[in-house]
Amino acid sequence: METRTGVVGPMSTALPSTTASSPPRDCARSRYYESGVSSAYFWELEGAVDFAACVLFRKDAADLGKGSGKGRWDALHVFEAKVGREKTVYKLTSTIMLSITTAEAGEMKIAGSLTRQSEKAEIALKNRDHVLNMGRQLEEMELKMRDALIHIYFGKVCEVFGNMRKFQGNKVEQERKLMQAGLTAALAKRRAAQPEE
């Protein structure tokens, strides 16, 4: 077993190298995350030409919005590549873990994870083709998962806060109506008690 920077496992010339994945990985990190940390690892599987890969992204954010919020986005993408005569089948399992803490109106924490899988068969004549095929599949998956997270987590949070406001709004409205009825009754009583001129 040989260990190199970013690559763990038995080495083979048929295996894409971390060096080959660095430019696309760095491009994705700067394009979608603006900064952060990323790593990629490749290793051989039981078959002579089959391999697996893991691509990781982490983005920490501070000063979210107007308040003193902070958050973290961790993306873990694991590929299993079955190399065939004509096409390679890439099975991708992706997990995104998201956590956000805000302190605007009291502390609020939102955290969760989402896992999805996809499978694609693509032509790959060279190692570079494997990296490009996996990169496209990873990008599609991250975009779908990002949309799902927005709808699942943020949509639900907005719904909960909306319902809380409605509940509080109803309570305030009821108190306002009671006060108005009380004032109206007090004024009517006062008018009735006053002598007519």
Side-chain angles (χ1 to χ4, degrees):
M1 170 130 36
E2 185 179 339
T3 302
R4 295 183 188 173
T5 305
V7 180
V8 179
M11 297 303 295
S12 155
T13 55
L15 193 62
S17 71
T18 300
T19 310
S21 72
S22 290
R25 185 187 74 234
D26 291 342
C27 178
R29 185 187 68 224
S30 64
R31 184 174 174 187
Y32 295 109
Y33 298 99
E34 295 175 358
S35 64
V37 180
S38 66
S39 296
Y41 302 92
F42 293 84
W43 63 96
E44 290 179 337
L45 296 175
E46 295 292 318
V49 291
D50 296 340
F51 65 94
C54 181
V55 182
L56 310 153
F57 294 101
R58 170 172 275 180
K59 168 71 176 184
D60 287 310
D63 299 326
L64 299 174
K66 297 175 186 174
S68 58
K70 58 185 176 184
R72 172 176 284 165
W73 174 283
D74 287 305
L76 169 68
H77 304 280
V78 179
F79 286 93
E80 181 182 354
K82 299 283 186 185
V83 180
R85 286 185 180 161
E86 294 181 19
K87 291 189 175 185
T88 300
V89 177
Y90 302 97
K91 182 178 179 183
L92 171 62
T93 303
S94 295
T95 299
I96 292 179
M97 294 164 280
L98 175 68
S99 65
I100 298 173
T101 304
T102 64
E104 248 176 74
E107 188 175 60
M108 180 180 77
K109 293 180 182 180
I110 301 172
S113 66
L114 185 64
T115 300
R116 295 286 186 264
Q117 287 188 326
S118 72
E119 194 169 297
K120 281 191 170 188
E122 302 277 352
I123 296 173
L125 304 174
K126 300 176 184 174
N127 282 343
R128 186 174 191 277
D129 296 334
H130 290 299
V131 172
L132 294 174
N133 292 338
M134 291 187 301
R136 277 192 298 269
Q137 189 175 359
L138 186 150
E139 183 177 23
E140 289 171 13
M141 179 65 82
E142 275 230 349
L143 290 173
K144 286 179 187 175
M145 292 178 78
R146 186 177 300 171
D147 289 343
L149 282 166
I150 288 170
H151 288 88
I152 291 170
Y153 291 103
F154 298 111
K156 193 64 175 174
V157 167
C158 288
E159 181 183 328
V160 168
F161 279 122
N163 288 337
M164 287 172 54
R165 286 189 184 121
K166 282 182 188 174
F167 177 74
Q168 288 175 347
N170 288 341
K171 186 178 178 183
V172 169
E173 183 65 24
Q174 287 174 348
E175 288 174 357
R176 188 185 67 77
K177 284 182 179 178
L178 283 171
M179 187 170 78
Q180 183 181 12
L183 285 172
T184 303
L187 283 171
K189 193 175 184 182
R190 186 174 174 190
R191 281 190 190 139
Q194 287 181 349
E196 288 186 23
E197 293 180 11

